[in-house]
Amino acid sequence: MVNKINLEKQTYEVPNSRKPGQTGIYRNGQRPELLETFSPKVKTVYDIFTHGYHTSKDRPCLGRRSVNAAGQFGPYVWETYREVNQHILNFGSGLMNLINHTLNDPRTRGIPIGMWAVNRPEWFITDMACASQSLFTVALYDTLGPDAVEYVVNHSELEIVVCSGDHIADLLKIREKLPKLRAIISLDSFDDGAKVTPGSVSKGAIIKAWAEEKNVLLTDMATLELNGKKNRRSINLPQPDDLACLMYTSGTTGNPKGAMLTHRNFVSAVAGSYYNLDGNVNDVSISFLPLAHIFGKVTDTLAIAYGSRIGYFAGDMNTLVEDIQELKPTFMAAVPRLLNRVYAKIAASTINAPGLVGSLARRGVAAKLENLANQKGFTHPVWDRLLFNKVKQALGGNMRVMVTGSAPIGKDIMQFLRIALCCDIREGYGATETTAATACHYEGEYQAGHLGAPFPSNEVMLVDVPEMNYLSTDPQPRGEICVRGPNVFKGYFKEEEKTREAIDEEGWFHTGDIGVINERGCLVIIDRKKNIFKLAQGEYIAPEKIENVYAKDSLVAQVFVHGDSLQSSLVAIVVPDPETLPAFVAAKSPKLAKSKLSYEELCKSPEVAQLVLAQLTSVGKKAGLHGFELAKAIYLSSEQFTMDNDLLTPTFKVKRPQAKKFFEVQIDALYEAINNQPEKAKL
């Protein structure tokens, strides 16, 4: 059953599903039946590719930037679905020949294959080759670091790792700590074709000798493809409930957990997205979100399901916008961190510009926002011709729809980007454990600040959290968001206790997020069950909620809110936006502006810290934060939180214990300053 989209009633409550301590069960209002697939013939991840292949045989499939002799990037070059299909069949066959003959392993299915590389066509080919032979992949995060890589390789019992050439040495360096590792397959050839000077040894020969010394078989993808072409194996399809991959969640504490995701999980998640996003063979998607993370992997798989094309970024986030402008995508999955940067750049040249340009842009934005609020869409016949047709070129000019996820995005930023980029931008919600797809905006959504309705692949309910005073009996039902459906994972690998904590006896995955169903039937996240703590006077604090409020201000690039039960107030570490901070200081303190301090010097200034604190306090009060939820002192850091300094997970969440330790000296100094203030000043 497919209902017409009703944006004022987005969810369907299953009749007679309410029980004490929980809400009723909510499903997608347009498609209330739970979907397992988008086609009767599609039951596995490999089937998704064959569906796209039969739709678009000789159309472009995978593309990458061309590179000239000087190392400069040029236009995208493409391989068709037919060509990619041959790569998959050949590499899958070569991989099985390696396992059964070279390594003398008699197994023909259920073998883990490690993947370690940035997004590139070979990643997709490897993934599908494994699926075609009933093997499953284990993603190694490109920025996990040697300790976590060692843990994942050993925990998942990897014997074979497929990786880019730059990671061969990383694996060989820790070979003694990886007792099961038997083979490394390089995605790159070992030599670039350059002539070797007589009497010298090529780099390829050196690394091969090193691998041999470490008792590791080292080969490359091209060699295995050639072998597979000569010795072709039959397709050996998995069952829907077989593992498709082990995806290790980037936890903020402790070792990562390996989420067991099956083919049924992936197919149902893609099916839910397939109907929600309504793509077609003419769509062009850019792949840059890490394929070791579920959001990026499902997005790319979805593009293939439509028979559309995927262009991979050149590997450097600093030049991503150049890749986008060259590719001119129609579809893109993004994260708020990127969209905040896009917003800042567009706002600086439009609504925040001086003189006539700024005045004209502000009128245009106001007119388009009013249009959007009146459900007249994100385009405008006059203002787009005058202004926004140029603005949307920032993302290539052809963008049809964008999906943002992994963290909340500010309402104002979402609405501004919708009308500035003249495209449909939707916010989604998911987790590794729900194969990325839990809820998302419908087409035509004109409001922001919510997560739309459940995908057709799962259902949602809210369970009481009495210790935080969130109840299903509230005027608008509130509680912990629980998800059930064919997209919910099988459990954590070798972690039965943690699996039981996450999935209850009725199959509900408990997310730890606190949600509410609003008057339009939309899911809204309002709090987090985990990461809560008490201050000295007993108030519960959810730091992520406060961080989300502060982060909506364009002055804030990153923020970490800290407190504990021994202190009566909160402090925060703030990384100001380098482009916004100087203008903010100039507006608030002409004296400081005249001193022409650098960004780093501004961050060190106590006066600037007080100005920023006053701004965040104002933002917090406007957002309805209680007095005890406002940071009473802040430290301005000019150093970004990154994965390299171990302050961010690969999904851009702050690692709280690590951040506490990293800024321990600054946090102690902030509390000392607070505690030395006169009592009146603390109030």
Side-chain angles (χ1 to χ4, degrees), residues 334-500:
V335 291
R337 189 181 181 198
L338 171 66
L339 295 182
N340 289 342
R341 279 168 45 199
V342 173
Y343 165 79
K345 287 189 178 297
I346 294 176
S349 62
T350 55
I351 55 175
N352 294 334
L356 183 61
V357 171
S359 176
L360 187 69
R362 287 188 288 275
R363 285 180 60 194
V365 166
K368 289 198 71 177
L369 286 175
E370 184 180 0
N371 235 26
L372 183 63
N374 291 329
Q375 302 187 53
K376 295 181 181 178
F378 42 78
T379 59
H380 193 284
V382 177
W383 285 108
D384 290 349
R385 272 204 319 274
L386 285 174
L387 180 64
F388 296 104
N389 284 341
K390 293 180 182 177
V391 173
K392 71 180 184 180
Q393 298 303 318
L395 294 182
N398 293 339
M399 197 66 71
R400 179 180 69 84
V401 61
M402 296 172 65
V403 178
T404 176
S406 88
I409 185 169
K411 292 182 189 178
D412 294 344
I413 292 174
M414 166 76 98
Q415 298 296 71
F416 176 87
L417 288 178
R418 277 173 166 164
I419 58 96
L421 296 171
C422 307
C423 76
D424 186 3
I425 304 180
R426 309 187 199 177
E427 187 166 6
Y429 167 63
T432 304
E433 292 85 350
T434 66
T435 324
T438 300
C440 191
H441 288 179
Y442 284 118
E443 180 183 1
E445 180 56 72
Y446 61 98
Q447 293 187 11
H450 65 85
L451 299 163
F455 275 107
S457 48
N458 59 225
E459 53 193 5
V460 167
M461 73 169 177
L462 307 180
V463 175
D464 289 357
V465 186
E467 67 271 23
M468 298 178 71
N469 202 30
Y470 293 125
L471 303 172
S472 55
T473 53
D474 291 339
Q476 284 188 333
R478 303 187 298 176
E480 181 182 7
I481 300 169
C482 297
V483 186
R484 185 172 66 179
N487 62 321
V488 172
F489 77 138
K490 199 172 184 177
Y492 297 116
F493 187 58
K494 297 180 180 177
E495 301 271 11
E496 289 186 16
E497 186 176 339
K498 288 180 179 176
T499 298
R500 284 194 297 271

Side-chain angles (χ1 to χ4, degrees), residues 40 121 130 207 301 315 381 437:
C130 289
I207 203 160
T301 309

Side-chain angles (χ1 to χ4, degrees), residues 221-286:
M221 189 175 196
T223 300
L224 287 189
E225 272 204 57
L226 187 61
N227 173 277
K229 186 176 181 180
K230 292 177 180 176
N231 304 282
R232 183 66 68 84
R233 307 276 289 240
S234 299
I235 294 293
N236 182 22
L237 284 179
Q239 296 299 310
D241 289 322
D242 288 345
L243 278 187
C245 81
L246 266 186
M247 186 155 281
Y248 281 81
T249 59
S250 51
T252 56
T253 60
N255 287 319
K257 301 189 293 289
M260 296 186 287
L261 297 172
T262 67
H263 288 269
R264 189 187 305 278
N265 294 153
F266 272 100
V267 170
S268 62
V270 168
S273 307
Y274 187 91
Y275 291 111
N276 180 280
L277 295 169
D278 194 28
N280 59 73
V281 294
N282 296 314
D283 272 327
V284 181
S285 175
I286 184 158

Side-chain angles (χ1 to χ4, degrees), residues 94-373:
L95 195 52
M96 288 309 303
N97 292 336
L98 173 79
I99 292 168
N100 292 159
H101 303 311
T102 310
L103 299 180
N104 294 316
D105 187 334
R107 292 177 294 172
T108 58
R109 60 194 308 118
I111 302 169
I113 304 295
M115 277 295 302
W116 193 5
V118 297
N119 297 23
R120 52 191 290 178
E122 294 85 357
W123 180 296
F124 177 83
I125 290 166
T126 300
D127 203 20
M128 290 300 160
C130 289
S132 73
Q133 295 292 339
S134 290
L135 311 176
F136 65 91
T137 57
V138 180
L140 301 173
Y141 284 100
D142 198 50
T143 49
L144 272 180
D147 291 344
V149 167
E150 176 192 332
Y151 174 80
V152 171
V153 171
N154 289 332
H155 187 260
S156 62
E157 302 179 23
L158 282 176
E159 297 182 28
I160 300 171
V161 174
V162 181
C163 67
S164 49
D166 57 331
H167 288 309
I168 298 172
D170 295 328
L171 288 166
L172 292 178
K173 284 176 186 175
I174 58 172
R175 169 67 178 94
E176 286 73 16
K177 298 178 181 179
L178 310 175
K180 286 187 174 291
L181 183 65
R182 300 177 67 192
I184 298 173
I185 302 167
S186 175
L187 297 177
D188 306 294
S189 60
F190 299 116
D191 290 304
D192 58 8
K195 291 183 179 179
V196 179
T197 306
S200 66
V201 182
S202 70
K203 291 179 182 178
I206 292 171
I207 203 160
K208 284 179 181 177
W210 188 16
E212 188 174 348
E213 178 191 326
K214 297 284 188 177
N215 195 28
V216 173
L217 172 69
L218 179 60
T219 185
D220 61 27
M221 189 175 196
T223 300
L224 287 189
E225 272 204 57
L226 187 61
N227 173 277
K229 186 176 181 180
K230 292 177 180 176
N231 304 282
R232 183 66 68 84
R233 307 276 289 240
S234 299
I235 294 293
N236 182 22
L237 284 179
Q239 296 299 310
D241 289 322
D242 288 345
L243 278 187
C245 81
L246 266 186
M247 186 155 281
Y248 281 81
T249 59
S250 51
T252 56
T253 60
N255 287 319
K257 301 189 293 289
M260 296 186 287
L261 297 172
T262 67
H263 288 269
R264 189 187 305 278
N265 294 153
F266 272 100
V267 170
S268 62
V270 168
S273 307
Y274 187 91
Y275 291 111
N276 180 280
L277 295 169
D278 194 28
N280 59 73
V281 294
N282 296 314
D283 272 327
V284 181
S285 175
I286 184 158
S287 175
F288 71 95
L289 294 178
L291 290 175
H293 176 50
I294 193 64
F295 191 18
K297 185 163 179 169
V298 168
T299 299
D300 280 13
T301 309
L302 174 64
I304 296 300
Y306 291 132
S308 55
R309 67 178 79 177
I310 302 171
Y312 293 84
F313 84 127
D316 184 352
M317 289 297 291
N318 293 321
T319 59
L320 175 63
V321 172
E322 294 173 23
D323 298 331
I324 291 172
Q325 289 172 344
E326 178 65 39
L327 182 65
K328 295 179 172 48
T330 62
F331 173 80
M332 187 169 95
V335 291
R337 189 181 181 198
L338 171 66
L339 295 182
N340 289 342
R341 279 168 45 199
V342 173
Y343 165 79
K345 287 189 178 297
I346 294 176
S349 62
T350 55
I351 55 175
N352 294 334
L356 183 61
V357 171
S359 176
L360 187 69
R362 287 188 288 275
R363 285 180 60 194
V365 166
K368 289 198 71 177
L369 286 175
E370 184 180 0
N371 235 26
L372 183 63

Side-chain angles (χ1 to χ4, degrees), residues 604-647:
K604 290 177 182 176
S605 165
E607 185 179 345
V608 172
Q610 287 304 309
L611 291 173
V612 175
L613 177 61
Q615 172 72 5
L616 295 187
T617 300
S618 174
V619 167
K621 287 179 178 177
K622 285 180 182 176
L625 293 182
H626 298 290
F628 60 81
E629 292 180 299
L630 298 171
K632 296 299 187 286
I634 63 171
Y635 171 78
L636 300 184
S637 172
S638 59
E639 181 179 359
Q640 291 268 334
F641 305 168
T642 66
M643 288 172 275
D644 290 335
N645 59 23
D646 201 34
L647 295 179

